Amino acid sequence: ENYYKTAITKKNISRQYLINSYWNALIMAEQRNDYESVVSICRSMWERTGDAAARQKIESLINKLLWTDNNDAIEKYNEGVELKKSGKNADAMNRFKSAVNIESSFLAPKFELGMNAYKNGDLDRASDYLGDIASRIPFYAEVQMVMGDIQLERHNYRSAVAHYDRVFEFGFIDNAADYRIRIRRGTCHYNLDDLPSAEDDIEKALAINPKSVEASLLMSAIKIKMEKYDDALKTLKRAASSNPDNPEIQYQIGSVYYRRNDQRHISHFEKLFSLAGNRKDYPSKYRKVFILLATHDFQNGNYRRCVTILNTFDETARTFDTRLMTARAYFHLKEYDNAIDHFEKLSLANDDRFMLCRAYALSGRREKAKSILSELSGFGDYLSRARKDPALSGMAKDLGDPTDQPVIEKSEPEKKDAALTEPVKEEAVQKKQNELKVKKKPSFDDEEDDSEDEDNGADDNNDEDADDE
């Protein structure tokens, strides 16, 4: 056998002698029931000579291992095959189950049951049937491929890689299959943080299909994870040159620039919004980008654009912060009724209550405005600010100066209690406001948006315009 295996490795051997050497080595491996060696020899023979008999030998061996000597089980299996041909799938599956019940080692009906479950989306049942076949016939590449896909879908990445490895080891793979498997195995390696292996798979996939958007996006994700941002941008820009209207490419380019604090991220996120903003089914990760974009527009006085972006969110996607930003933007646009509608749905901090007070006054709802101003008059400088505001100055005059009210002298025990408790209260309020003012820079790595409370308070702000009267 070693003599024949040595002959196979020779480069200057005649075709006929090469084929004879393959068949002799194959026969010897089969005689000792070393089926994996048989398949490896057949695969090598097909790759070097193109002899179709090599593939047929593997198919014959697989069929042999799928079969049984139990005639009763075979009878039920054959009945299932005929029922399946006539379109009676449910009855066919029952016959296949009967065959397995009669002979549990009969793999042919398990294949039928497993593939039927897989096509119907029942991954657990499919894995039970096909997993048995994959373990007992490791060179059955078709089953290994399906099992790899099942484990990938279940996020069992390490198991998926093992199945895909078997496909490469034993399967007869054309370029299309090679590309498809490398994309899937590369995805598994990426999720396992085996970045060099992921990079190798995706590089080979790109060699097969250089214009693949899917492969380019995967490669950029790998480069980003490796912190090779320049390489990621090169890959993405190459993909964008032939696919300028692909939202995911724009998202990835913008995300790389954002990571680098490069303001060019805004133009790519603007492009992303123009491509996907009005769709109802865009990925939730895009929403984080759109909130960042709306915030940028608000901070730069582009209130109409800010409102346009935020109004694309459905009710379930709105958060306290986005509602508050929408209300403030409407106020600055002098659309006071819209501002009031949004403000009234929120639990507001005092500065925003003052803005709502102004909106009430400017829209003619003076009693509501006066009620809020009365409540605010005991806090901060809201009353003095109201005196300078043409819409509120009359109400402020009616309310008078709280400092004109008689001062009730506290008793000594009350003074002591106040001295002890008021600094503590003030410190607690200040701490809460500081916490609310801390804003974490958004991250675009997560697939799902962070959930937020709809009614948690907002920090006080000094967000007023002097020219909205």
Side-chain angles (χ1 to χ4, degrees), residues 17-148:
Y17 191 65
L18 177 63
I19 291 174
N20 288 341
S21 297
Y22 270 118
W23 280 112
N24 285 317
L26 189 153
I27 291 168
M28 291 181 177
E30 191 169 17
Q31 285 174 344
R32 64 174 189 274
N33 292 328
D34 186 354
Y35 297 129
E36 290 192 26
S37 291
V38 170
V39 173
S40 295
I41 292 168
C42 285
R43 190 169 183 269
S44 175
M45 179 180 176
W46 179 77
E47 289 175 344
R48 287 195 65 185
T49 69
D51 192 336
R55 295 190 66 166
Q56 292 168 1
K57 178 65 179 176
I58 294 176
E59 290 168 3
S60 175
L61 178 57
I62 290 171
N63 288 333
K64 173 185 174 182
L65 295 173
L66 287 170
W67 209 242
T68 183
D69 293 330
N70 190 311
N71 290 328
D72 291 337
I74 291 172
E75 183 180 352
K76 292 295 183 183
Y77 173 77
N78 288 334
E79 288 175 8
V81 171
E82 292 304 316
L83 287 166
K84 185 179 176 183
K85 287 179 181 177
S86 63
K88 298 177 180 178
N89 195 65
D91 291 336
M93 294 305 120
N94 286 331
R95 293 296 192 282
F96 294 141
K97 287 177 184 177
S98 296
V100 172
N101 289 335
I102 293 169
E103 179 54 72
S104 62
S105 63
F106 191 9
L107 298 182
K110 288 188 176 183
F111 176 82
E112 297 291 344
L113 290 164
M115 291 305 295
N116 181 72
Y118 179 65
K119 289 173 184 175
N120 290 321
D122 188 347
L123 300 186
D124 290 338
R125 191 175 297 275
S127 180
D128 287 342
Y129 287 122
L130 298 177
D132 188 22
I133 298 171
S135 64
R136 292 168 65 180
I137 313 178
F139 45 84
Y140 196 170
E142 180 183 354
V143 170
Q144 297 291 349
M145 181 68 185
V146 175
M147 281 300 300

Side-chain angles (χ1 to χ4, degrees), residues 340 343-344 348 352-361 372:
I340 289 167
F343 274 134
E344 286 182 339
L348 300 172
D352 286 306
R353 292 180 69 209
F354 187 71
M355 187 177 284
L356 173 58
C357 175
R358 296 183 69 208
Y360 278 141
I372 292 179

Side-chain angles (χ1 to χ4, degrees), residues 238 272 418 437 456:
R238 188 164 54 246
L272 173 63
K437 287 179 181 178
N456 46 353

Side-chain angles (χ1 to χ4, degrees), residues 233-246:
L233 282 172
K234 287 177 184 176
T235 300
L236 289 166
K237 288 180 178 180
R238 188 164 54 246
S241 65
S242 54
N243 298 275
D245 294 331
N246 184 288

